[in-house]
Amino acid sequence: MPAARAGAVAGPPTIAVMSTYTRRRLTDAPFLAAATGATPSRRPVWFMRQAGRSLPEYRELRAGIGMLESCFDPELVCEITMQPIRRHGVDAAILFSDIVVPLKAAGVDLDIVPGVGPVVASPVRTLDDVRKLPRLRPEEVGAVTEGVRLLTDALGQTPLIGFAGAPFTLASYLVEGGPSKNHERTKAMMYADPATWHELLGVLTDITIVFLQSQLAAGVDAVQLFDSWAGALSLADYRRFVLPHSERVFAEVADAGVPRIHFGVGTGELLGAMGEAGADVVGVDWRVPLTDAVRRVGPGKALQGNLDPAVLFAGSAAVEAEARRIAAEADEAIVLGASGHIFNLGHGVLPDTDPGVLTALVELVHEL
């Protein structure tokens, strides 16, 4: 495990790492090849939020069922995760879940409010609040791991990506009480009470590790850590307040031997530091060309991205032109030292996206 950086306060002792993982044998998986520095048989592509509101079959299936309720139903998790595999033919499935699922499973009183997002009943603002936070036990996410087991049977040769929210992003919801544009309470705790901040991040790091290790033990073929709100931070603040905890997450799942992906939105200025956290693949949003991203991240890591999701509304000619541009940038990035490229969006599929456009994009990427 990396040494703690200056200013970090150790969190609770990390749970024992699960040392035995059962992996499927995937003989031709372009996604895994690109993520691990091998030569894929075709350019792999998958989409963040590919299983979700853009699919009519998803909306029909979810009618009248709450988001969190869906995330704790193994059969629904399996079916929703499979929908974009059947429709689009993407090269990887990502587990249908939500970044607050491990908090809910541990016993944090929260809900996902339609049109708002995660809302926490009792925000975490003091050291006493932090010390009252529950810890996560693997059995509390048994519904999620059962969904993973169903998926590994259903997916055949398609890899399954597990995921978790990064400690900083989870902390921002807990401290703010819900989504925030400015993260003023979160930053206030960071600056005014760094000891409490690092203790909070230590607890959330432990929760994240348990959640990812549980998915790995159930059979996921890769994991992605989403730091959705890290782009709100300066580079100096990211290094001081966030990076040590993200490093610990990646270190504690390293022995599973699967690709580890790190992604954040608006994190162009943080890409170098995010590349240091320990992931094998760094996701890049649409604001930074891949040729610039490889210089910031450094050689030896694969890049993932980075079509602007809004381009999917601009018509087939624009989509094709942008996809070809990104593929050309990715090829140049590999010459500059990136170990591979996984085509993706620079963030998630927008709800009103035409599913047919996504299917056509997958076909195009596979031809490039």
Side-chain angles (χ1 to χ4, degrees):
M1 185 173 70
R5 293 176 182 267
V9 175
T14 304
I15 63 163
V17 175
M18 300 174 187
S19 58
T20 302
Y21 298 96
T22 302
R23 298 266 83 81
R24 295 182 294 157
R25 183 172 177 79
L26 302 180
T27 55
D28 180 20
F31 163 80
L32 293 178
T36 56
T39 302
S41 58
R42 64 188 183 196
R43 191 183 303 269
V45 53
W46 69 278
F47 304 117
M48 288 179 281
R49 293 185 188 157
Q50 64 189 14
R53 293 170 292 175
S54 66
L55 298 182
E57 57 265 41
Y58 168 83
R59 294 193 293 269
E60 180 179 354
L61 187 64
R62 277 274 327 276
I65 304 174
M67 178 63 181
L68 285 172
E69 182 182 352
S70 302
C71 292
F72 285 96
D73 184 318
E75 287 75 21
L76 270 180
V77 167
C78 180
E79 172 58 25
I80 293 170
T81 303
M82 289 296 300
Q83 287 176 345
I85 307 303
R86 301 190 195 106
R87 181 184 274 265
H88 302 313
V90 286
D91 294 293
I94 186 161
L95 181 70
F96 175 73
S97 189
D98 189 89
I99 61 173
V100 298
V101 160
L103 298 180
K104 182 70 173 181
V108 176
D109 187 0
L110 61 83
D111 196 10
I112 298 176
V113 178
V116 177
V119 175
V120 179
S122 300
V124 176
R125 304 273 169 79
T126 68
L127 182 59
D128 187 54
D129 293 336
V130 171
R131 291 179 174 171
K132 289 179 180 176
L133 281 172
R135 304 311 196 261
L136 180 67
R137 300 188 304 273
E139 61 268 23
E140 292 170 325
V141 288
V144 176
T145 56
E146 177 58 26
V148 170
R149 294 185 185 98
L150 293 174
L151 280 161
T152 57
D153 288 339
L155 281 166
Q157 289 292 299
T158 302
L160 175 62
I161 306 168
F163 80 89
F168 172 77
T169 290
L170 296 180
S172 73
Y173 283 116
L174 288 177
V175 176
E176 301 291 341
S180 172
K181 291 183 178 180
N182 300 311
H183 305 278
E184 58 266 36
R185 291 183 181 272
T186 304
K187 292 182 178 182
M189 181 188 287
M190 284 167 38
Y191 296 134
D193 192 356
T196 296
W197 171 261
H198 283 295
E199 187 159 335
L200 170 61
L201 267 286
V203 172
L204 296 175
T205 297
D206 285 339
I207 288 173
T208 301
I209 290 167
V210 172
F211 191 44
L212 288 176
Q213 287 183 337
S214 297
Q215 295 174 55
L216 287 162
V220 298
D221 305 292
V223 291
Q224 177 159 307
L225 191 69
F226 284 85
D227 215 345
S228 306
W229 302 124
L233 299 174
S234 70
L235 177 58
D237 287 344
Y238 179 84
R239 285 190 176 280
R240 178 184 175 192
F241 295 112
V242 177
L243 181 55
H245 305 284
S246 295
E247 282 181 321
R248 187 157 70 91
V249 172
F250 285 118
E252 293 290 349
V253 299
D255 76 331
V258 306
R260 299 160 296 167
I261 309 169
H262 202 184
F263 174 75
V265 184
T267 51
E269 298 303 317
L270 310 180
L271 285 175
M274 291 178 71
E276 295 170 19
D280 309 290
V281 183
V282 176
V284 184
D285 77 9
W286 66 93
R287 298 170 179 87
V288 180
L290 295 177
T291 46
D292 288 349
V294 67
R295 294 183 176 96
R296 299 180 190 187
V297 171
K301 294 182 183 292
L303 300 179
Q304 179 175 279
N306 63 338
L307 182 70
D308 185 340
V311 171
L312 298 174
F313 295 82
S316 59
V319 172
E320 179 172 351
E322 286 298 291
R324 290 186 179 278
R325 176 187 63 79
I326 289 166
E329 286 182 0
D331 292 343
E332 185 177 349
I334 290 172
V335 172
L336 293 171
S339 61
H341 175 240
I342 299 162
F343 196 102
N344 208 309
L345 304 181
H347 196 199
V349 176
L350 298 171
D352 294 329
T353 303
D354 180 352
V357 174
L358 288 173
T359 302
L361 177 57
V362 172
E363 294 171 354
L364 171 63
V365 171
H366 285 164
E367 294 171 0
L368 293 177

